[in-house]
Amino acid sequence: MTGRMPEEPGPGPDALRELTERHGGRGGLLPAALERARSGTAESPEAWAPRVAEAAGLPAAAGLGPATFFADLAAPRGERHVRVCTATACFAARGGEHLDEVERALGVVAGTVDETGSTSLRTVHCLGYCYAGPAALDGTLPRTGTDLADQLGGKAEPSAPDIPATDTTGAPVLLAGIVGEQSAWDVWRGAVAGLRPEDVREEVAASGLRGRGGAGFPVAAKWAAAAGKRETVVVANGDEGDPGSYADRLLMEEDPDRVLTGLALACFACGAWRGTVLVRSEYPKAMARLRRAVERATRTGDLAFSIETAGPRPFVEIVEGAGSYVAGEETALIARLEGARGCARPRPPYPTDHGLWDEPTVVNNVETLAALPWIVAHGGASYARRGVADETGTELVCLSERFARPGAYEVELGTPVGEIVTRFGGGLKDGRELVALQIGGPLGGFLSGHALDVPLTTAALAEHGAALGHAGMVAFDTGTDPYALLRHVWEFAADESCGACSPCRVGTRRGLERAQGRDGPGETYEGLAKLMGEASLCAFGRRVPAAVRSLARAFGPSLEGWDR
């Protein structure tokens, strides 16, 4: 599990912000200090987190809050720390059987350390190897494949193939530097030398670009809400946690310069002097490559050496996440950066008014930022001609291991889902029958394998009870037990709820309890689903019932009652 809900959670995000303001703003130092302390001990956070907080001049609870919330800090850790993926694509690959095999191979149960303290094992959602699962990280080294347990046990050669990446459009936007030769930094240098911030904002407005992180909010409108304020911060959200998607990992690992160029352009357009990239801890290779790319760009003068020397060329820092799905939500991500638990905050106020340390903050997804160099180079009108009228441009669609040709495909929005599945993905491997297709992660939704004549757009998918999300596609064949998949969805929801609001915190647990057997959801489920869908604080809790309904519709009578 990648997130925890502490029994005694400590100070919330806003309380921590007030605390750190009284103590010199030192909350921002906590994440790195807590990580260093955790890496040197197998003890529980209660033994070391208070000391870390006190050393930073903060109350003990300020350390215990995040240390008991984030799985990277809360989970026991031995000298050898293995993280095994139990997310949807890896579940589909082996029906979840790989976890038992890994536990036997390592001689340790998930969530524990062996008696000698040498090996620890933790389950996570997800590692971004959905195209080759099941997968694990042995320290920072990836391992993938059906013989995963043998690899971890030293009985098979390690395997971790690169992400297959294919452009289907003929003129790639997001893959321009991976399958093409476009230099993103050349675009940046031309922009900073010859354009005004308002020029960039106008081109992005003309492009119709919407955020690719799931919410689909117009990028230009978000920028306009924070533009022109020197204290504005732009955050690149690289906390890609949707099981089934590895688009951000591909971009951060194989073309980090494009991501950083997009961040620099966003900073320039908003008048921000500072940018931050938050990268999932489950993506160690992406973290390393981004840091090296920042060093290169700083040496060449494309980025500033420090916040004191920043101006049109921003100062950029790379920050590591700590193992929480819901911390990818923008207000929860901001709480993480401030050193608090990764809980969603009520809105309004919105981050563009009061974000990181109460400053105006723009949060853009990695894939969103990666589109900016192409838009600035070719013009917003050219981008707007791609895709469909209300949802322009291209998207990276990630196909899971069950497909004959898994990998990341750049497609134009509006491409029929069925075409992506059959023409690009080649259908399922070994000619298996596609029963259900999950789109957009665990909160996105499911389509029946016989109802794929749907355009890849937010609006069209919504009409069928699904959502675009990160556009990851996980296939399920006839070997999938629908009730096992139903339990898997509820287990994910219960594990990853941040616990900030009762409808989601309690609702996900109640939903899981009802999914444990095969007797159906019961008479009270409809009320539970309605409460979660209407009263949850953020989209996480609100989307769970809708995702379950779409799953029930995709599988039909076998999940009768869950379609309410």
Side-chain angles (χ1 to χ4, degrees):
M1 124 178 157
T2 59
R4 288 190 61 190
M5 292 173 291
E7 296 298 325
E8 297 179 5
D14 296 325
L16 180 66
R17 181 182 284 174
E18 294 172 4
L19 268 174
T20 52
E21 285 176 356
R22 293 201 302 268
H23 291 269
R26 289 187 286 268
L29 303 175
L30 274 176
L34 290 169
E35 177 59 33
R36 287 193 299 270
R38 160 49 80 199
S39 64
T41 180
E43 293 183 305
S44 66
E46 288 78 9
W48 49 267
R51 295 196 300 268
V52 174
E54 290 163 5
L58 294 167
L64 275 171
T68 55
F69 176 89
F70 289 103
D72 285 356
L73 302 174
R77 191 179 303 185
E79 295 176 12
R80 179 190 184 190
H81 187 54
V82 178
R83 289 172 281 182
V84 61
C85 181
T86 57
T88 316
C90 289
F91 169 86
R94 295 291 311 283
E97 294 179 2
H98 66 288
L99 177 58
D100 289 339
E101 295 170 352
V102 169
E103 289 179 330
R104 289 194 296 271
L106 297 179
V108 59
V109 176
T112 68
V113 182
D114 65 13
E115 293 181 356
T116 66
S118 61
T119 303
S120 55
L121 179 64
R122 198 186 105 214
T123 60
V124 299
H125 309 121
C126 125
L127 294 175
Y129 285 86
C130 317
Y131 57 94
L137 280 179
D138 190 353
T140 60
L141 302 176
R143 304 285 183 257
T144 68
T146 55
D147 61 347
L148 177 65
D150 286 341
Q151 292 182 47
L152 293 170
K155 297 179 180 179
E157 289 296 315
S159 174
D162 293 333
I163 299 173
T166 304
D167 171 59
T168 72
T169 71
V173 173
L174 301 163
L175 297 180
I178 295 176
V179 302
E181 298 181 352
Q182 184 192 72
S183 170
W185 284 121
D186 285 345
V187 177
W188 164 244
R189 291 162 192 149
V192 77
L195 298 178
R196 302 167 301 168
E198 53 265 39
D199 296 330
V200 176
R201 294 199 301 271
E202 287 171 3
E203 291 299 336
V204 172
S207 75
L209 177 66
R210 291 177 175 268
R212 296 294 190 246
F217 193 79
V219 173
K222 180 179 283 191
W223 286 1
K229 305 169 185 175
R230 175 179 167 180
E231 64 274 16
T232 295
V233 181
V234 179
V235 177
N237 186 350
D239 199 14
E240 176 184 52
D242 274 350
S245 179
Y246 42 89
D248 290 355
R249 182 170 82 82
L250 171 68
L251 293 168
M252 290 188 289
E253 289 184 1
E254 301 303 326
D255 199 359
D257 291 323
R258 185 163 307 277
V259 176
L260 293 175
T261 299
L263 177 59
L265 287 167
C267 287
F268 180 69
C270 295
W273 289 20
R274 179 160 58 105
T276 298
V277 186
L278 186 126
V279 186
R280 302 181 71 216
S281 63
E282 294 88 347
Y283 288 176
K285 185 177 178 181
M287 174 75 65
R289 292 197 169 180
L290 276 166
R291 283 177 170 158
R292 288 198 294 270
V294 168
E295 292 172 0
R296 289 194 302 270
T298 302
R299 287 196 302 269
T300 58
D302 292 310
L303 296 177
F305 279 94
S306 65
I307 189 62
E308 289 77 19
T309 61
R313 292 170 176 79
F315 170 69
V316 172
E317 59 181 347
I318 311 295
V319 178
E320 187 175 15
S324 170
Y325 174 83
V326 78
E329 190 273 339
E330 63 178 11
T331 63
L333 180 149
I334 289 168
R336 158 65 183 166
L337 292 174
E338 292 178 344
R341 294 174 294 133
C343 295
R345 292 169 170 167
R347 291 178 290 184
Y350 293 94
T352 49
D353 295 318
H354 299 280
L356 184 63
W357 299 115
D358 217 26
E359 303 291 2
T361 303
V362 170
V363 181
N364 286 144
N365 161 263
V366 160
E367 187 175 335
T368 307
L369 294 171
L372 297 179
W374 195 96
I375 291 171
V376 171
H378 296 85
S382 295
Y383 188 85
R385 286 193 289 271
R386 312 185 69 171
V388 296
D390 295 328
E391 298 185 44
T392 61
T394 67
E395 180 95 30
L396 280 177
V397 175
C398 298
L399 303 185
S400 71
E401 173 271 347
R402 293 285 84 192
F403 286 92
R405 292 191 292 271
Y409 293 83
E410 184 166 0
V411 305
E412 292 204 9
L413 285 167
T415 303
V417 172
E419 181 179 354
I420 296 170
V421 168
T422 57
R423 179 183 170 195
F424 304 144
L428 299 198
K429 60 175 55 174
D430 302 323
R432 289 177 176 269
E433 179 186 351
L434 176 64
V435 176
L437 183 72
Q438 183 188 63
I439 300 183
L443 307 181
F446 295 80
L447 298 176
S448 167
H450 302 292
L452 301 181
D453 188 21
V454 182
L456 188 74
T457 64
T458 299
L461 289 169
E463 291 177 0
H464 291 76
L468 181 61
H470 255 91
M473 295 188 182
V474 179
F476 298 92
D477 57 33
T478 53
T480 301
D481 178 348
Y483 259 93
L485 179 55
L486 175 71
R487 288 192 296 272
H488 173 82
V489 171
W490 279 111
E491 286 168 357
F492 174 88
D495 280 354
E496 294 292 1
S497 172
C498 75
C501 69
S502 297
C504 180
R505 181 181 66 250
V506 178
T508 53
R509 292 173 176 174
R510 296 274 176 85
L512 177 57
E513 290 170 1
R514 285 165 168 76
Q516 296 294 352
R518 292 177 179 265
D519 298 329
E523 295 180 0
T524 61
Y525 174 71
E526 187 173 0
L528 172 67
K530 187 174 187 295
L531 179 65
M532 289 184 64
E534 294 180 359
S536 294
L537 181 61
C538 74
F540 183 91
R542 294 194 295 269
R543 278 296 307 171
V544 172
V548 170
R549 280 195 294 272
S550 69
L551 170 62
R553 286 195 294 268
F555 276 91
S558 58
L559 291 178
E560 186 177 358
W562 288 97
D563 55 352
R564 291 179 290 179

